[in-house]
Amino acid sequence: MNTFQLSCFLEVADTLNFARAAERLHVTQPAVTQQIRSLENELNVRLFNRTTRSVKLTEEGLVFLHDARHIVAISERAKKRFENPYGREVRTLSLGCHSFAQLFMLPPALKQLASQHLDVHPRLHVVPFQHLYRLLEEDEVEVVIGFREPESKKIAAVYRELKRVPIACFCVPENPLSKRGSATMEDLKGEPLVLFDPGKAQSDVAELQGRLMGGRSPADFYFCESMEAVIMLTLAGSGIAVMPESLVPRALPLARVPIEGVGTASFGVYYKTLQGNAPLRDLVQILREQARETT
């Protein structure tokens, strides 16, 4: 395996087009095809499903995507270090999230962290749900920021709660629900639902979604692969969404309606250890302080 193979893989994954990837790399299309085949043979997996009309990443390709980016990034950093051997040392802090909505919560904390650790360069990863904790276990990320997972998932990490987040109903202002101070579960059962994939949703949300779906037609549901997609379809007026309040920026034109009798979700961080990792320890402390200020 070499970095040119990985660069070819990353360009094809980005463009989903072998010809366009070849243009970006300034090589021929057969050269890109040969490198991908060689990489697939070495890994003993198929990275792309290819037809005459389309190119798509396989599940194995999605898993390998983060590893390839990580290896290429390390290679690039090593080259730059020797371009300027007397430059300031850089300490990388890798953070993982399930969605960009969670990523948007980080700028204030990272700004404060930068004032305490001038040498720290955060690396932010938005990783598909099922792979994120594997990366934590393998030390590819140092902390995962998100909602608490059920005990049955047996995550090999410490969980530190930052705050409890209310779960609310979200809808466009034109929806009659937006004028109400609160809504019951019965009120929501008559509404079209924009749902996060139950296999990826946190247990609190998945349980609520299941209760709302009972006995209804599939035509009433819009399933989404990401939280961002849920927000977009809700903004389009396709239906209502049920999710933790902190995932929806307040600047968006969506009404948030409290749901009667529904509890809160635990939001926090997963990490293996804080010992010997001052930047991570300080980041966790900053997040805790900021969470208290916004509670």
Side-chain angles (χ1 to χ4, degrees):
M1 186 185 305
N2 58 59
T3 54
F4 181 57
Q5 288 176 320
L6 298 177
S7 295
C8 289
F9 167 72
L10 291 174
E11 288 295 343
V12 176
D14 185 43
T15 62
L16 296 180
N17 186 295
F18 277 70
R20 200 168 302 132
E23 289 176 9
R24 288 188 179 186
L25 293 166
H26 306 292
V27 297
T28 64
Q29 181 175 340
V32 172
T33 301
Q34 180 181 1
Q35 294 301 318
I36 296 298
R37 285 177 178 165
S38 175
L39 185 59
E40 289 179 324
N41 288 337
E42 184 173 349
L43 296 172
N44 196 31
V45 296
R46 192 174 185 84
L47 298 171
F48 297 98
N49 285 323
R50 305 184 275 275
T51 69
T52 55
R53 294 186 176 183
S54 68
V55 176
K56 294 182 180 179
L57 278 163
T58 62
E59 184 66 22
E60 292 79 8
L62 283 170
V63 172
F64 184 61
L65 190 58
H66 175 82
D67 293 333
R69 284 176 177 156
H70 186 61
I71 294 168
V72 171
I74 290 174
S75 174
E76 291 299 321
R77 286 203 304 275
K79 291 177 185 176
K80 290 186 180 298
R81 182 176 293 118
F82 289 105
E83 287 174 3
N84 181 20
Y86 304 106
R88 179 164 53 88
E89 285 295 317
V90 171
R91 164 74 161 86
T92 300
L93 181 63
S94 297
L95 301 88
C97 296
H98 295 300
S99 71
F100 286 100
Q102 293 170 348
L103 207 60
F104 290 144
M105 303 175 191
L106 292 178
L110 294 180
K111 184 176 182 179
Q112 185 174 337
L113 182 69
S115 69
Q116 298 176 210
H117 297 275
L118 299 178
D119 61 335
V120 168
H121 283 206
R123 295 193 66 211
L124 308 177
H125 307 274
V126 179
V127 181
F129 178 86
Q130 61 270 38
H131 308 308
L132 190 51
Y133 296 106
R134 176 180 66 84
L135 298 179
L136 180 63
E137 184 176 344
E138 296 174 356
D139 297 321
E140 294 293 333
V141 299
E142 295 166 73
V143 59
V144 171
I145 300 170
F147 290 91
R148 184 166 194 168
E149 305 296 343
E151 295 296 330
S152 59
K153 293 203 171 174
K154 302 186 184 304
I155 298 168
V158 176
Y159 177 75
R160 177 70 65 85
E161 182 175 282
L162 299 176
K163 60 180 177 180
R164 305 292 303 187
V165 180
I167 299 175
C169 160
F170 291 85
C171 61
V172 291
E174 298 79 37
N175 190 307
L177 282 174
S178 68
K179 308 300 189 296
R180 303 184 58 166
S182 64
T184 66
M185 291 292 288
E186 287 301 316
D187 295 330
L188 304 185
K189 287 183 177 179
E191 297 285 333
L193 302 173
V194 182
L195 305 171
F196 191 36
D197 182 340
K200 300 176 182 178
Q202 66 199 77
S203 56
D204 317 73
V205 172
E207 189 271 335
L208 278 177
Q209 289 185 165
R211 287 166 59 188
L212 291 171
M213 291 169 62
R216 299 184 60 184
S217 165
D220 292 335
F221 310 138
Y222 297 82
F223 286 101
C224 299
E225 291 294 313
S226 70
M227 196 59 71
E228 292 78 18
V230 172
I231 293 172
M232 290 304 105
L233 283 184
T234 306
L235 282 168
S238 300
I240 65 165
V242 172
M243 67 182 84
E245 284 194 359
S246 60
L247 290 179
V248 182
R250 291 194 173 272
L252 294 178
L254 284 175
R256 55 188 71 209
V257 184
I259 307 172
E260 296 176 14
V262 171
T264 56
S266 176
F267 183 79
V269 292
Y270 283 94
Y271 55 82
K272 292 173 75 173
T273 181
L274 299 180
Q275 187 173 358
N277 192 335
L280 178 56
R281 182 193 64 227
D282 290 344
L283 176 64
V284 171
Q285 183 60 30
I286 291 168
L287 288 169
R288 293 183 69 190
E289 291 171 356
Q290 292 184 353
R292 284 197 293 268
E293 292 171 0
T294 57
T295 300

